[in-house]
């Protein structure tokens, strides 16, 4: 991929890639900003700042210079747009999962067919200019999970991702870190921008979503995550994503058919 970008002077470049289930890209970074769109399969992106899950038919913005690891969940076909740093300056300064409109999908499918040395003054150049305008209109989705910079707290958060539970309490976490409840609450919010309850909920969603997309039953996922019943899990899911797991997955399949 890097070789395809080296030496090409264009504000936007587009590439298409295919990956097998479980494929992983080791920690790396790009001089350009990247909008990664998954036409199929789900993708998990990790940086020192957090974890992001990109469901199928969604995208993730990765700013220039951000070191990130990528893991494929299912067979994944991606389209990527790479923006020069100057063009990236008008985009978010942190990773964000974003919605991809039908129009944007069409533009990206057209873009990957272009030569890397496309004519800036012709149709191709106009297409890439339009893409830059459309990128700024993409809506941010609540599919990120910040990881603290504080070493002990970061370890606790990563351990939680390996064994999430909706019942963890502030007292359990503060005791594990050897600090008072008040100190922990203040530290956690300062490091993540969230309360522990909100972060814990988001973490459960980040873990559950790839499994649901892979076809696991809502009941199985909910109970294995430690929810008392599927209804409690569904309530959490609706609170974050605005709809039930069943409706969310049905909508995703409908989008894939277009």
């Amino acid at each position: 991929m890097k070789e395809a970008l080296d030496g090409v002077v264009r504000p936007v470049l587009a590439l298409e890639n295919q990956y097998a289930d479980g494929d992983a890209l080791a920690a790396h970074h790009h001089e350009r900003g990247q909008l990664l769109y998954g036409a199929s399969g789900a993708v998990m992106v990790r940086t020192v700042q957090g974890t992001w899950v990109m469901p199928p038919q969604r995208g993730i913005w990765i700013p220039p210079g951000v070191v990130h690891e990528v893991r494929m969940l299912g067979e994944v076909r991606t389209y990527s747009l790479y923006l020069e740093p100057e063009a990236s300056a008008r985009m978010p300064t942190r990773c964000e999962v974003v919605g991809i409109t039908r129009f944007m999908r069409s533009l990206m499918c057209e873009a990957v067919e272009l030569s890397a040395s496309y004519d800036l003054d012709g149709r191709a150049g106009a297409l890439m200019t339009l893409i830059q305008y459309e990128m700024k209109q993409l809506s941010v989705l609540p599919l990120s999970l910040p990881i603290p910079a504080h070493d002990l707290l970061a370890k606790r958060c990563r351990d939680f991702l390996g064994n999430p539970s909706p019942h963890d309490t502030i007292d359990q976490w503060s005791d594990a870190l050897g600090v008072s409840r008040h100190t922990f609450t203040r530290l956690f919010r300062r490091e993540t921008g969230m309360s522990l309850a909100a972060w814990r909920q988001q973490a459960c969603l980040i873990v559950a979503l790839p499994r649901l997309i892979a076809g696991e039953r809502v009941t199985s996922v909910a109970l294995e995550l430690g929810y008392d019943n599927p209804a409690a899990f569904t309530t959490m899911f609706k609170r974050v994503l605005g709809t039930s797991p069943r409706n969310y997955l049905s909508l995703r399949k409908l989008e894939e058919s277009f």
Side-chain angles (χ1 to χ4, degrees):
M1 184 278 297
K2 184 178 184 296
E3 291 74 13
L5 303 181
D6 284 346
V8 181
V9 183
R10 290 294 185 275
V12 185
L13 294 172
L15 291 175
E16 179 181 4
N17 284 292
Q18 188 82 29
Y19 301 95
D21 182 22
D23 279 357
L25 305 180
H28 66 286
H29 71 278
H30 314 289
E31 293 183 7
R32 293 170 176 259
Q34 179 185 13
L35 177 64
L36 177 67
Y37 160 65
S40 63
V43 175
M44 180 173 286
V45 175
R46 287 196 176 106
T47 76
V48 294
Q49 287 82 30
T51 299
W52 291 261
V53 169
M54 184 185 81
Q57 301 296 312
R58 303 295 186 266
I60 182 168
W61 167 251
I62 304 170
V66 172
V67 177
H68 56 286
E69 302 173 1
V70 182
R71 182 161 63 91
M72 311 304 165
L73 308 169
E75 294 186 357
V76 177
R77 187 170 85 255
T78 65
Y79 296 85
S80 288
L81 298 172
Y82 295 93
L83 275 67
E84 287 184 334
E86 183 178 347
S88 299
R90 296 182 288 275
M91 295 295 291
T93 57
R94 65 188 299 273
C95 295
E96 300 280 11
V97 177
V98 295
I100 300 292
T101 63
R102 193 181 307 175
F103 182 46
M104 188 65 182
R105 292 204 302 267
S106 298
L107 292 176
M108 296 181 80
C109 289
E110 287 286 327
V112 297
E113 298 298 327
L114 300 177
S115 165
S117 55
Y118 59 84
D119 180 7
L120 287 169
D121 298 318
R123 173 184 176 274
L127 174 66
M128 291 305 201
T129 297
L130 178 57
I131 278 176
Q132 292 180 71
Y133 280 106
E134 290 301 309
M135 285 179 67
K136 290 183 284 188
Q137 307 302 314
L138 301 178
S139 58
V140 176
L141 303 178
L143 293 173
S144 65
L145 189 71
I147 299 296
H150 186 281
D151 289 341
L152 291 178
L153 190 54
K155 182 181 184 305
R156 178 77 184 185
C157 288
R158 292 193 176 96
D159 288 346
F160 182 88
L161 281 171
N163 186 28
S165 166
H167 303 302
D168 271 25
T169 66
I170 291 175
D171 289 335
Q172 288 173 323
W173 282 54
S174 60
D175 288 347
L177 267 65
V179 297
S180 70
R181 180 186 177 94
H182 176 72
T183 298
F184 171 82
T185 301
R186 185 176 56 191
L187 172 66
F188 195 87
R189 186 170 289 279
R190 186 187 72 204
E191 291 284 325
T192 67
M194 306 170 73
S195 67
L196 176 62
W199 187 93
R200 184 189 62 207
Q201 174 178 273
Q202 194 80 349
C204 287
L205 180 65
I206 290 291
V207 172
L209 199 53
R211 297 175 60 179
L212 295 172
I213 291 170
E216 292 190 44
R217 296 173 61 245
V218 173
T219 298
S220 298
V221 172
L223 296 179
E224 287 186 28
L225 285 177
Y227 282 85
D228 295 331
N229 51 66
F233 173 79
T234 297
T235 297
M236 178 278 292
F237 195 100
K238 291 174 68 174
R239 187 182 301 121
V240 178
L241 291 180
T243 189
S244 69
R246 192 181 308 277
N247 287 343
Y248 181 88
L249 295 171
S250 296
L251 178 61
R252 181 187 64 82
K253 290 178 182 178
L254 179 62
E255 289 173 335
E256 288 181 338
S257 68
F258 286 107

